[in-house]
């Protein structure tokens, strides 16, 4: 009996194919060999071999439409500065999981270990933990939302003095530790929006409190971010057909104030705000089903408020 682990197939055959395809895609987009090397984690000499076709690729992977689509998505993400190495790794890990579920990795594994043929093997996917997958999806959404905020010039003037944060809850969230956000908050520095760290669960009690209050009224409202309150931003919301909901600014029992305001309205509106109080900066919350959805709405409102939105 030959003993071959599916991870060997991934390391020895999938990874070289993915690197060769990604190197070629980035080369087509005008990246230098050193830039490609920095993106995919190999030496410049290795990149030369990859782009010149000196590394064998496995056709069962390279010709799979899912592989082609994933590589193009990563290459576009790098080219447009929408993705970093963490995003690319998440995309490739998701593809590996798909390929291990009766896919080409399974086929390659059966060839390398004939004892598996005809067994309908599901060892790679049998132990999938839905909770782990949900956490990964939430973290990915928050990370992409934060990058969207940081990459939008119009957001700079809408970051409050206390900083901005964006958070998203797990589907069954019960307390702030079930809500992922950016540790240390997102802040304004020298005319740009800076994201200090990758998201973590339990990183922001304030945003978590808003998300949990919204979920108590509408379970689909799982994400929120805060920006500075301004008449221009509220007018932009109304221009979008959104009537912002005002709530009590006091920190004490903030969650209860929010729940009462939304329950009275009978819905969770996408925009909530308060005008501030003594020692409390005016803040607006933008809500969504995902962190990316909330960030997209916030960006649109910010651009409308600053006159940068094209109609």
């Amino acid at each position: 009996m030959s003993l071959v682990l599916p991870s060997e197939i991934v390391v020895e055959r999938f990874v070289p194919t993915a690197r060769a395809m990604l190197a070629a895609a980035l080369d087509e987009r005008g990246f230098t060999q050193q830039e490609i090397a920095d993106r995919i984690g190999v030496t410049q000499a290795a990149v030369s071999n990859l782009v010149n076709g000196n590394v064998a690729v496995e056709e069962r992977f390279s010709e799979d439409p899912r592989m082609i689509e994933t590589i193009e998505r990563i290459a576009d993400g790098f080219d447009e500065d929408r993705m970093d190495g963490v995003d690319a790794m998440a995309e490739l890990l998701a593809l590996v999981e798909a390929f291990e579920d009766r896919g080409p990795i399974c086929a390659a594994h059966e060839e390398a270990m004939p004892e598996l043929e005809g067994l309908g093997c599901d060892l790679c996917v049998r132990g999938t933990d839905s909770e782990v997958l949900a956490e990964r999806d939430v973290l990915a959404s928050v990370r992409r939302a934060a990058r969207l905020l940081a990459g939008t010039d119009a957001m700079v003037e809408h970051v409050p003095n206390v900083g901005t944060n964006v958070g998203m809850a797990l589907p069954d969230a019960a307390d702030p530790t079930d809500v992922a956000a950016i540790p240390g908050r997102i802040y304004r520095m020298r005319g740009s929006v800076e994201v200090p760290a990758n998201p973590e669960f339990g990183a922001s009690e304030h945003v978590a409190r808003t998300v949990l209050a919204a979920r108590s009224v509408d379970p689909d409202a799982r994400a929120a971010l805060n920006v500075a309150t301004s008449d221009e931003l509220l007018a932009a919301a109304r221009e979008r057909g959104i009537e912002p909901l005002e709530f009590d600014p006091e920190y004490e029992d903030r969650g209860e104030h929010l729940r009462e305001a939304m329950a009275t309205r009978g819905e969770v509106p996408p925009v909530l705000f308060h005008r501030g109080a003594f020692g409390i900066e005016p803040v607006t919350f933008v809500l969504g089903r995902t962190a990316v959805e909330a960030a997209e709405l916030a960006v649109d409102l910010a651009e409308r408020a600053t006159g940068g939105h094209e109609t």
Side-chain angles (χ1 to χ4, degrees), residues 9-21 61 67 96:
I9 304 296
V10 174
V11 171
E12 297 172 3
R13 297 159 74 171
F14 174 89
V15 171
T17 299
R19 280 180 171 155
M21 293 176 68
F61 299 138
M67 182 77 148
V96 167

Side-chain angles (χ1 to χ4, degrees), residues 290-305:
T290 67
V292 170
E293 182 177 278
E296 288 174 343
L297 176 55
V299 164
D300 181 69
L301 297 181
E303 290 178 338
R304 289 174 184 268

Side-chain angles (χ1 to χ4, degrees), residues 231-244 271 297 300-301 304:
D231 290 334
E232 292 78 11
L233 194 77
L234 298 178
R238 295 186 178 100
E239 182 182 322
R240 281 280 306 261
I242 299 168
E243 183 55 43
V271 179
L297 176 55
D300 181 69
L301 297 181
R304 289 174 184 268

Side-chain angles (χ1 to χ4, degrees), residues 124-200:
C124 294
V125 297
R126 185 185 300 159
T128 297
D129 188 330
S130 60
E131 292 183 2
V132 172
L133 296 179
E135 289 179 0
R136 188 182 70 186
D137 289 344
V138 167
L139 291 170
S141 185
V142 175
R143 186 170 58 249
R144 291 175 184 175
R147 189 168 296 115
L148 176 60
L149 298 175
T152 303
D153 292 340
M155 286 301 304
V156 175
E157 65 183 78
H158 298 282
V159 175
N161 293 327
V162 296
T164 288
N165 213 329
V166 55
M168 181 176 173
L170 292 167
D172 57 352
D175 59 56
T177 62
D178 296 325
V179 180
I182 303 297
R185 301 189 182 186
I186 300 167
Y187 52 87
R188 181 175 54 214
M189 175 179 287
R190 293 190 291 271
S192 64
V193 178
E194 300 291 333
V195 181
N198 282 319
E200 297 177 6

Side-chain angles (χ1 to χ4, degrees), residues 16 55 58 64 88 94 100 102 104 107 114 116 120 140 152 166 193 200 217 238 242 255 268 289 291 297 305-307:
V55 175
E58 184 147 344
D64 192 292
E100 287 180 338
R102 308 295 195 278
L116 295 172
T152 303
V166 55
V193 178
E200 297 177 6
V217 178
R238 295 186 178 100
I242 299 168
V268 176
R289 291 169 296 181
L297 176 55
T306 56

Side-chain angles (χ1 to χ4, degrees), residues 20-44:
M21 293 176 68
L22 185 53
L26 294 176
D27 182 63
E28 291 174 358
R29 287 162 174 77
F31 282 63
T32 67
Q33 289 192 357
Q34 186 58 57
E35 289 172 335
I36 296 172
D38 292 341
R39 294 300 193 286
I40 66 176
V42 299
T43 64
Q44 185 175 345

